[in-house]
């Protein structure tokens, strides 16, 4: 039985219907949504808005200092006919393809090496990271000197050894410039691949190798049947990032060659910058940048399927 | 089938010597348990037999052949690891078939051998699963299956049950023992669990700090521990060990503890008058009642396990445990008379820790 007087003494208010607002106030999902607002606002403002603005610009004839009008696909039609654009696409694919494959091979090799017991392991691991921690522009400038047509230490050394008669024109010749920039990119990108794969290698239980040793596996078989399959999830992540970073590379090329000689090293990113910012044709530059999106999406899709949890990773626990 | 011979084996990691010249013989077809606390070198010894660790000094031979420089795969051994070490990306079948595939055995033989091993271990319906999809006990069986498939002369087990829960451990213990009786291959089993050792072994090798403290049949080690370490390590609950001095009083010999408690001894007890000794009596060798040489024990805790009643009490300053098949309802603080069974008394020299015979 309800004692009304007791209720009053205890300060209870008379009951009223619970409104939707009352429910909302104690709803954890509602609260959670509010917690996400700052992050969502940040992403919208600094990622989604510029991206959409860029795509929109690519459909206009905007120039610096002159608001443009919607021109439909005109920029893209223009690019379709533009041999420089197509060369930048070719360069980007070559640059990304060659550099990524070599970065993967060298990075994996280094990771396997660093995963062994050897003297001064910690120091060597730190040394391997150096190319990664030096700011890109600094290392690009260092490469610029290495590749200099007059003062290149590489040319000098080869000349002293009597292997060449004249300096190598590293950045002045079309293919020399392509290989030189690719080499610089590899030098810079290997540590990331190596250290990440090393982290992956260290998650593989040593007892698996012992079991494989007793099962009679040689070192190649151990790599083929134990290390590589167990490393594939990490490889997928690392190579996705590596490909994305390489594809969108800008600093290295800009410092070394600015896209030259005769556009031979222009990547889509550098060409876009040149047309949009230096040339002032924002619409056209935006169209080049937008044209990168399908390639990047393709790379992400490939890794998405590669990254999906493999069957052996599913179900059960480690317990 | 093969015996394993360990002769004067030393193992050093850098400047630290972890095994100090061990000699042991593991007879053909026997089940030998290397038992000791963690860090005693038992796993290192096993890994040296497997070929996973180099032998610093001495010889290990399997089936009469010195294997110091023989690679693991050619030693004709198989090993079951504590964490099972199953290849997570291979199905059960492939895990078990891996060594055969590497040895380029033909498909039909692989099928037959894996199926046979799976049959022995009741794994038939799991061959198509990945290790993650199995329970702990099933993974344990796959690990054993991988060993069986190799048809080795010697099975090596490195604490294979310590990742399982208590109930499963008891069950797998029986299974491993039954498996050994069926396959009759020489088995070397490392554990720190003395119950596992007692129940499974034909022979126990008790190790401590890189030395062998005692080896022998389980009951022999239990009944006649060579020294204080073995006495305290084997048996659960552990043997009561009470320090005191050998004295004779009116013709009867006894041990007097430092707080003046007189512990009874049989007439033929070894040792000389005035010798410092440790008096050992197992909890189940104390009987209730005030016989000759009865002890006055003050109960502090009663632990009924159902089958037995464990009484923890004080004798003078020392803590004493006694186990009884009967159920008693003592209260803490109650004084209870107990009498040691005189023919079950162990005496150890207090200085050397060695058994007095």
């Amino acid at each position: 039985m309800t004692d009304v007087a007791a209720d009053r003494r205890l300060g209870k208010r008379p009951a009223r219907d619970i409104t939707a607002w009352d429910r909302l106030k104690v709803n954890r999902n509602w609260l959670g949504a509010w917690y996400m607002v700052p992050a969502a606002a940040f992403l919208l403002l600094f990622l989604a808005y510029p991206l959409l603005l860029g795509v929109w610009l690519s459909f206009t004839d905007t120039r610096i200092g002159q608001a443009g009008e919607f021109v439909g696909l005109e920029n893209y039609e223009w690019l379709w006919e533009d041999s420089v654009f197509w060369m930048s696409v070719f360069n980007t694919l070559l640059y990304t393809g060659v550099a990524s494959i070599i970065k993967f091979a060298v990075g994996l090799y280094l990771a396997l090496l660093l995963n062994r017991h050897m003297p001064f392991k910690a120091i060597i691991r730190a040394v391997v990271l150096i190319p990664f921690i030096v700011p890109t522009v600094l290392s690009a400038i260092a490469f610029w000197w290495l590749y200099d047509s007059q003062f290149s230490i590489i040319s000098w050394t080869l000349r002293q050894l009597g292997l060449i008669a004249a300096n190598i024109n590293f950045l002045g010749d079309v293919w020399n410039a392509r290989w030189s920039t690719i080499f610089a990119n590899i030098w810079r990108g290997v540590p990331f691949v190596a250290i990440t794969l090393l982290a992956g290698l260290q998650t593989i239980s040593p007892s698996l190798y012992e079991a494989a040793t007793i099962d009679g596996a040689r070192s190649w078989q151990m790599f083929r049947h134990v290390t590589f399959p167990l490393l594939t999830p990490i490889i997928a992540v690392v190579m996705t990032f590596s490909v994305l970073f390489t594809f969108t590379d800008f600093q290295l090329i800009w410092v070394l060659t600015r896209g030259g000689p005769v556009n031979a090293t222009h990547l889509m990113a550098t060409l876009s910058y040149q047309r949009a910012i230096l040339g002032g044709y924002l619409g056209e530059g935006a169209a080049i940048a937008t044209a990168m999106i399908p390639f990047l999406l393709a790379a992400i899709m490939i890794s998405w399927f590669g990254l999906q949890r493999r069957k052996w990773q599913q179900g059960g626990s480690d317990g | 089938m093969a015996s394993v011979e360990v002769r004067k084996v030393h193992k050093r990691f850098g400047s630290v010597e972890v095994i100090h010249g061990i000699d042991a013989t593991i007879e053909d077809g026997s089940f030998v348990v290397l038992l000791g606390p963690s860090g005693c070198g038992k796993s290192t010894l096993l890994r040296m037999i497997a070929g996973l660790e180099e032998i610093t000094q001495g010889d290990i031979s399997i089936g009469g052949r010195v294997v110091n420089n023989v690679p693991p795969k050619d030693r004709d051994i198989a090993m079951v690891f504590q964490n099972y070490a199953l290849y997570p990306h291979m199905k059960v079948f492939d895990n078990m078939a891996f060594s055969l595939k590497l040895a380029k055995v033909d498909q039909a033989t692989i099928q037959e051998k894996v199926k046979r091993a799976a049959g022995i271990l009741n794994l038939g319906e799991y061959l198509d699963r990945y290790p993650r999809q199995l329970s702990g006990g099933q993974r344990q069986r796959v690990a054993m299956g991988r060993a069986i498939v190799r048809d080795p002369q010697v099975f090596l087990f490195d604490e294979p049950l310590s990742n399982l829960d208590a109930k499963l451990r008891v069950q797998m213990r029986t299974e491993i023992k039954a498996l050994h009786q069926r396959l009759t291959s020489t088995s070397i089993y490392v554990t720190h669990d003395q119950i596992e050792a007692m129940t499974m072994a034909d022979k126990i090798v008790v190790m401590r700090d890189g030395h062998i403290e005692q080896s022998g049949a389980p009951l022999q080690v239990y009944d006649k521990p060579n020294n204080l370490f073995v006495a305290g390590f084997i048996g659960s609950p552990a043997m009561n060990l009470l320090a005191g001095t050998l004295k004779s009083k009116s013709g009867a010999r006894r041990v007097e503890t430092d707080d003046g408690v007189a512990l009874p001894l049989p007439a033929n007890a070894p040792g000389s008058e005035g010798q410092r000794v440790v008096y050992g009596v197992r909890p189940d060798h104390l009987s209730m009642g005030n016989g000759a040489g009865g002890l006055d024990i003050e109960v502090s805790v009663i632990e009924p396990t159902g089958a037995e009643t464990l009484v923890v009490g004080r004798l003078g300053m020392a803590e004493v445990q006694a186990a009884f098949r009967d159920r008693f309802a003592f209260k803490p603080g109650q004084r209870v008379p107990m009498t040691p069974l005189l023919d079950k008394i162990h005496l150890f020299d207090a200085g050397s820790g060695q058994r007095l015979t």
Side-chain angles (χ1 to χ4, degrees), chain B residues 319-341:
Chain B
E319 191 182 84
V320 174
Q321 297 190 327
F324 301 100
R325 303 294 298 176
D326 307 299
R327 297 189 176 177
F328 295 109
F330 299 128
K331 290 195 176 56
Q334 191 175 342
R335 302 193 87 87
V336 176
M338 293 185 198
T339 312
L341 303 178

Side-chain angles (χ1 to χ4, degrees), chain A residues 292-313:
Chain A
M292 292 166 77
I293 293 175
F295 292 102
L296 295 175
L297 273 183
I300 292 171
M301 292 306 277
I302 290 170
S303 70
W304 173 264
F305 290 111
L307 275 177
Q308 277 188 333
R309 276 159 72 82
R310 280 153 190 75
K311 226 173 171 187
W312 54 265
Q313 292 175 295

Side-chain angles (χ1 to χ4, degrees), chain B residues 235-257:
Chain B
S236 175
M239 185 189 284
N240 297 303
L241 296 168
L242 307 159
T245 311
L246 270 177
K247 298 247 169 87
S248 297
K249 197 172 189 184
S250 56
R253 306 191 65 202
R254 58 193 214 178
V255 171
E256 273 181 23
T257 66

Side-chain angles (χ1 to χ4, degrees), chain A:
Chain A
M1 222 191 340
T2 318
D3 185 339
V4 177
D7 276 0
R8 200 168 296 140
R9 273 199 308 278
L10 292 168
K12 281 188 188 167
R13 267 172 277 161
R16 64 180 169 87
D17 289 335
I18 293 168
T19 63
W21 174 241
D22 288 329
R23 285 219 191 87
L24 205 56
K25 275 192 294 188
V26 294
N27 186 323
R28 282 164 171 265
N29 291 336
W30 172 253
L31 185 67
W34 277 104
Y35 278 123
M36 288 200 302
V37 164
F42 191 87
L43 290 176
L44 283 173
L45 191 62
F46 294 108
L47 277 174
Y49 170 68
L51 181 70
L52 292 177
L53 183 64
V55 175
W56 165 250
L57 276 176
S58 74
F59 294 113
T60 69
D61 61 356
T62 310
R63 293 198 205 169
I64 288 179
Q66 177 198 320
E69 288 177 12
F70 181 76
V71 293
L73 291 174
E74 200 175 289
N75 286 324
Y76 293 97
E77 285 162 14
W78 191 255
L79 285 180
W80 191 261
E81 308 284 323
D82 182 356
S83 63
V84 175
F85 168 71
W86 284 113
M87 186 187 278
S88 79
V89 172
F90 167 78
N91 289 338
T92 310
L93 292 177
L94 179 83
Y95 187 76
T96 308
V98 174
S100 296
I101 289 169
I102 298 181
K103 273 189 275 194
F104 171 64
V106 176
L108 182 59
Y109 176 75
L110 267 181
L112 290 171
L113 216 59
L114 291 177
N115 198 33
R116 290 166 175 251
H117 292 288
M118 56 169 153
F120 310 115
K121 192 157 74 173
I123 293 175
I124 297 173
R125 281 184 190 175
V127 168
V128 166
L129 265 180
I130 284 177
F132 195 55
I133 56 176
V134 176
T136 312
V137 174
L138 278 189
S139 52
I141 289 173
F143 269 103
W144 190 49
W145 276 107
L146 286 176
Y147 291 153
D148 190 274
S149 54
Q150 285 184 59
F151 306 112
S152 164
I153 194 168
I154 305 170
S155 295
W156 182 84
T157 310
L158 294 175
R159 261 207 339 250
Q160 295 296 313
L161 291 171
L163 294 173
I164 54 171
N167 277 2
I168 300 171
N169 193 3
F170 283 104
L171 299 177
D173 173 88
V174 170
W175 279 99
N176 277 357
R178 282 180 183 148
W179 296 129
S180 300
T181 47
I182 286 174
F183 181 84
N185 180 279
I186 291 169
W187 180 84
R188 225 193 109 58
V190 158
F192 169 70
V193 178
I195 293 296
T196 318
L197 290 183
L198 177 62
L201 283 177
Q202 289 180 339
T203 64
I204 300 176
S205 162
S207 62
L208 289 182
Y209 293 112
E210 292 179 346
T213 307
I214 289 177
D215 276 342
R218 273 178 253 279
S219 45
W220 163 248
Q221 290 168 318
M222 237 180 265
F223 175 78
R224 158 94 183 63
H225 295 290
V226 180
T227 312
F228 193 78
L230 291 177
L231 206 56
T232 41
I234 305 281
I235 290 175
V237 180
V238 178
M239 289 323 290
T240 307
F241 277 100
S242 178
V243 165
L244 293 187
F245 291 153
T246 316
F247 197 91
T248 56
D249 197 7
F250 173 84
Q251 297 182 61
L252 204 65
I253 297 288
W254 199 252
V255 174
L256 282 178
T257 66
R258 308 218 160 198
V262 285
N263 303 321
T265 59
H266 249 316
L267 302 184
M268 292 167 87
T270 55
L271 188 68
S272 162
Y273 177 79
Q274 195 187 43
R275 296 264 168 99
I277 308 297
L278 302 182
Y281 294 93
L282 285 178
E284 198 184 320
I288 298 173
T290 306
M292 292 166 77
I293 293 175
F295 292 102
L296 295 175
L297 273 183
I300 292 171
M301 292 306 277
I302 290 170
S303 70
W304 173 264
F305 290 111
L307 275 177
Q308 277 188 333
R309 276 159 72 82
R310 280 153 190 75
K311 226 173 171 187
W312 54 265
Q313 292 175 295
Q314 284 167 358
S317 62
D318 288 317

Side-chain angles (χ1 to χ4, degrees), chain B residues 39 49 62 281:
Chain B
I49 296 171
I62 298 176
V281 60

Side-chain angles (χ1 to χ4, degrees), chain B residues 80 96 117-118 121 123 140-150:
Chain B
V80 177
M96 287 164 70
L121 294 162
L123 282 170
Q140 177 60 61
R141 284 212 291 271
V142 176
M144 293 203 295
R146 192 166 62 177
I148 292 172
V149 163
R150 289 170 54 84

